[in-house]
Amino acid sequence: MDVIVAGDRAGLVKAKDALGPGRLALVPTMGALHEGHRSLMRLAREHADHVAVSIFVNPLQFGPNEDFSRYPRTFDVDLDVCADEGVGLVFAPSAEEMYPPGSQVAVSSGEMGKNVEGAFRPGHFDGVLTVVLKLFNLVQPDVAVFGQKDAQQLALIRRMVADLNVPVSIVGAPTLREADGLALSSRNRYLSPADRMTALSISKALRAGAAQTTPSKILAAAKAVLDAGANLDPPLAVDYVELVDPRTFTAVDDTHRGEGLLVVAAKVGTTRLIDNTPIPPTP
Ligand code: AMP
């Protein structure tokens, strides 16, 4: 069956009618779809009768000096990917549709939205939560699937759904990686072969950290790999490496007993990459 493309609320109503009854799963994306997105679509299919994908590069979640205007846009290829994955509906609204003049009320991501990634991208998570809540209200899915690759985003969406009583089930999906460990990302297409070699320091640092047992050793091992990355050509420029509590995204120390999450953000040239790995509780 062909993918039905909707660009506004009226189109969505018609498209959902055409899909027919059954549970609907939504996979929100910014397009430039890759295998990681495909894995989310497949997981969505396991949870619902119909899969919808939204494609929207959300201006609200980009800072003034970030890559909004040069973010990759590959709509026609994305549609083929969706058709290939059996997606029934693609929602691709314009910025004007999502943010008509006069919009001013938004979602606040609270303290968790200011930690770690939020400290480097002020306002980012407010923009993410605002667009995700709008997408939920427009598409009205039963289930929505998000990647663990953006772990703080996933944790905040779970928080928003709980705190604001949003009637949707959230499913988290594991991070898909290249054979050499690089996490798939739409931004990887900016990387030259040399950049890509440097970028591998990130997943290598996560693996080195995860092989250790205490928070201080985990951090030290990850930092050692990232420091080595800073001496490569091109160099890795680390924004942060932290071991956090995955429920709050606050840093943990050696007294911490529960689950941890080792998180990294770093730039290679002008390309900023993020990655993370779960750390099981200390025995
Ligand atoms: P994006 O288009 O980058 O906003 O990502 C859309 C969704 O795909 C988000 O829920 C991401 O967490 C998820 N995603 C991005 N990269 C990966 C990956 N390598 N593996 C699994 N999910 C991913």
Side-chain angles (χ1 to χ4, degrees):
M1 211 176 77
D2 282 348
V3 186
I4 308 169
V5 180
D8 57 17
R9 185 190 286 271
L12 270 175
V13 171
K14 264 210 232 156
K16 283 183 66 174
D17 256 9
L19 285 182
R23 281 167 66 77
L24 179 66
L26 174 66
V27 180
T29 80
M30 298 202 298
L33 302 178
H34 51 66
E35 280 296 323
H37 296 115
R38 280 184 188 257
S39 72
L40 266 52
M41 295 173 204
R42 286 175 204 154
L43 187 58
R45 155 80 53 225
E46 290 175 25
H47 289 267
D49 304 290
H50 309 289
V51 177
V53 169
S54 61
I55 298 179
F56 181 60
V57 186
N58 174 31
L60 219 57
Q61 70 189 67
F62 286 80
N65 298 315
E66 295 181 5
D67 59 348
F68 174 71
S69 54
R70 71 169 192 132
Y71 195 84
R73 288 162 172 88
T74 58
F75 188 67
D76 293 340
V77 182
D78 291 349
L79 276 190
D80 291 343
V81 170
C82 290
D84 195 42
E85 293 298 336
V87 168
L89 161 62
V90 167
F91 180 48
S94 65
E96 296 71 40
E97 181 67 30
M98 291 300 274
Y99 304 113
S103 314
Q104 50 183 303
V105 176
V107 180
S108 162
S109 56
E111 277 309 303
M112 207 207 301
K114 296 193 185 77
N115 299 340
V116 195
E117 181 74 357
F120 279 83
R121 303 186 70 186
H124 170 68
F125 288 119
D126 292 359
V128 168
L129 294 186
T130 300
V131 82
V132 168
L133 186 60
K134 286 171 70 78
L135 291 169
F136 287 170
N137 287 335
L138 285 160
V139 178
Q140 299 185 10
D142 301 285
V143 182
V145 183
F146 294 88
Q148 178 67 28
K149 157 84 166 43
D150 299 280
Q152 194 169 359
Q153 166 176 293
L154 173 58
L156 277 162
I157 288 165
R158 289 192 194 280
R159 219 28 291 161
M160 173 177 77
V161 163
D163 291 351
L164 302 183
N165 306 99
V166 185
V168 60
S169 305
I170 302 301
V171 172
T175 301
L176 209 77
R177 299 178 180 282
E178 306 275 11
D180 58 12
L182 183 70
L184 293 182
S185 162
S186 301
R187 291 186 170 98
N188 289 354
R189 66 189 71 200
Y190 300 144
L191 301 173
S192 69
D195 292 343
R196 206 181 166 294
M197 286 297 290
T198 296
L200 281 181
S201 308
I202 298 172
S203 51
K204 213 171 140 192
L206 294 175
R207 287 197 302 278
Q212 298 296 322
T213 46
T214 63
S216 49
K217 285 184 187 160
I218 290 166
L219 258 188
K223 276 183 181 159
V225 177
L226 294 172
D227 285 349
N231 292 320
L232 296 174
D233 181 21
L236 188 74
V238 177
D239 274 355
Y240 59 78
V241 49
E242 283 192 52
L243 182 62
V244 298
D245 182 326
R247 291 161 309 176
T248 57
F249 279 77
T250 50
V252 301
D253 60 22
D254 281 346
T255 61
H256 183 72
R257 283 294 164 269
E259 293 248 335
L261 189 75
L262 183 57
V263 290
V264 175
K267 281 195 196 121
V268 184
T270 54
T271 304
R272 188 170 180 281
L273 302 168
I274 61 169
D275 201 352
N276 67 83
T277 195
I279 304 288
T282 334

